[in-house]
Amino acid sequence: MKSVLIIDDEKEIRELLAIYLKNYGYETFEAHNGREAFTLFQKEMIDLVLADIMMPEMDGIELLKNMRQDSHVLFLFISAKSDDMDKINGLQLGADDYISKPFNPLEVVSRVQALFRRAYSYALPENQDRERIEIGDIRLDIKSCKLYKRGVQKELTSVEFKILALLMSHAGRVFTKAHIYEQVWGEEYMGDENLVMVYISKIRDKIEDNSRMPVHLITIRGLGYRFEKA
């Protein structure tokens, strides 16, 4: 049974989400602020975090920063802050998805299910090594979900891993933003270009010597992105 930690200072929202998630077979934990949530997170085995941004004592952003110090737990922001920059800031810090209030509880359940489906799952070509992909000085270990550049490990979120695995396993092929989104998020592309661009930028920071002049992850203007072959 997968476990979900629900964090919101509004009791009604926590209880509503818990009811729906339990109906779909998830175990739930609840916290009313970030500090309480972080203490609970350290004690329990949590598979996914649903967190509001605006909370007392410790807000969602600070909570995510603390969790990301030693965990890659799936993290979904739920917040009334719907500005694009709030969404981008959350994703840059390592959140896996973002949904705005007001929301339909069934949509939240669908996002949770999608996050679990896509976590560490992707399709490799039949002739591709199932344990690692190595191109130039970049090595992606499939079983451990770890990235190495010249032998030095670089931390990856689950979404970053999926995007990189998709592109590296099909090196030389151009993927549009829409294709990347649909393959990685498992949803129909709705034109949210910023989401894909944010993750491409974060991946470049980890694999390129100069992210402004990439030699591995190349932008094909007007089309999309391609991982260069060795």
Side-chain angles (χ1 to χ4, degrees):
M1 180 182 293
K2 298 294 186 182
S3 61
V4 180
L5 173 57
I6 306 166
I7 313 147
D8 198 295
D9 56 348
E10 295 186 44
K11 182 180 179 181
E12 295 79 8
I13 290 179
R14 296 199 309 269
E15 292 180 344
L16 178 65
L17 290 173
I19 290 172
Y20 274 82
L21 287 165
K22 286 177 181 177
N23 284 340
Y24 279 81
Y26 296 105
E27 180 183 12
T28 63
F29 298 88
E30 298 179 33
H32 76 278
N33 63 55
R35 193 171 303 282
E36 179 186 345
F38 191 62
T39 299
L40 188 59
F41 179 75
Q42 292 176 311
K43 294 179 179 179
E44 303 290 345
M45 293 294 293
I46 304 297
D47 296 304
L48 185 144
V49 176
L50 284 171
D52 193 8
I53 289 183
M54 302 299 292
M55 295 184 295
E57 296 192 38
M58 181 191 294
D59 64 21
I61 295 294
E62 186 178 356
L63 174 65
L64 176 59
K65 288 180 180 178
N66 288 334
M67 288 185 174
R68 281 292 177 257
Q69 289 180 6
D70 56 7
S71 172
H72 294 299
V73 65
L74 295 171
F75 200 106
L76 170 61
F77 271 129
I78 301 179
S79 177
K81 293 172 69 65
S82 57
D83 183 78
D84 280 347
M85 285 309 301
D86 293 317
K87 180 188 294 187
I88 290 171
N89 287 339
L91 294 172
Q92 286 179 329
L93 287 171
D96 296 286
D97 205 352
Y98 190 113
I99 188 169
S100 299
K101 294 180 181 179
F103 55 79
N104 183 326
L106 287 175
E107 181 183 0
V108 177
V109 172
S110 294
R111 295 288 189 97
V112 169
Q113 291 175 322
L115 282 175
F116 279 125
R117 278 199 307 269
R118 75 180 187 239
Y120 312 124
S121 63
Y122 57 90
L124 286 174
E126 288 301 317
N127 61 349
Q128 181 70 57
D129 189 331
R130 297 283 168 169
E131 295 189 359
R132 68 174 58 181
I133 309 171
E134 194 162 356
I135 300 176
D137 58 3
I138 306 299
R139 186 178 90 236
L140 192 65
D141 283 2
I142 305 307
K143 288 188 176 180
S144 64
C145 303
K146 292 180 179 179
L147 167 69
Y148 297 88
K149 179 177 175 63
R150 300 192 184 103
V152 178
Q153 184 181 344
K154 304 288 184 176
E155 294 297 327
L156 288 178
T157 67
S158 59
V159 174
E160 291 168 359
F161 172 80
K162 282 211 61 176
I163 292 175
L164 194 53
L166 174 68
L167 296 176
M168 288 186 68
S169 62
H170 299 85
R173 175 178 171 183
V174 178
F175 285 85
T176 65
K177 294 183 181 72
H179 196 172
I180 292 172
Y181 185 91
E182 290 171 359
Q183 289 286 316
V184 172
W185 274 267
E187 302 172 0
E188 182 180 357
Y189 181 68
M190 301 300 290
D192 191 353
E193 294 188 354
N194 284 336
L195 189 59
V196 175
M197 291 171 62
V198 165
Y199 280 107
I200 291 294
S201 176
K202 291 172 65 178
I203 292 170
R204 280 180 174 151
D205 287 339
K206 298 175 181 182
I207 68 172
E208 303 287 358
D209 292 330
N210 183 346
S211 60
R212 294 186 178 183
M213 299 179 64
V215 297
H216 294 293
L217 186 44
I218 307 300
T219 298
I220 308 301
R221 192 173 301 276
L223 291 176
Y225 303 99
R226 178 185 71 224
F227 201 96
E228 284 291 280
K229 294 181 178 181

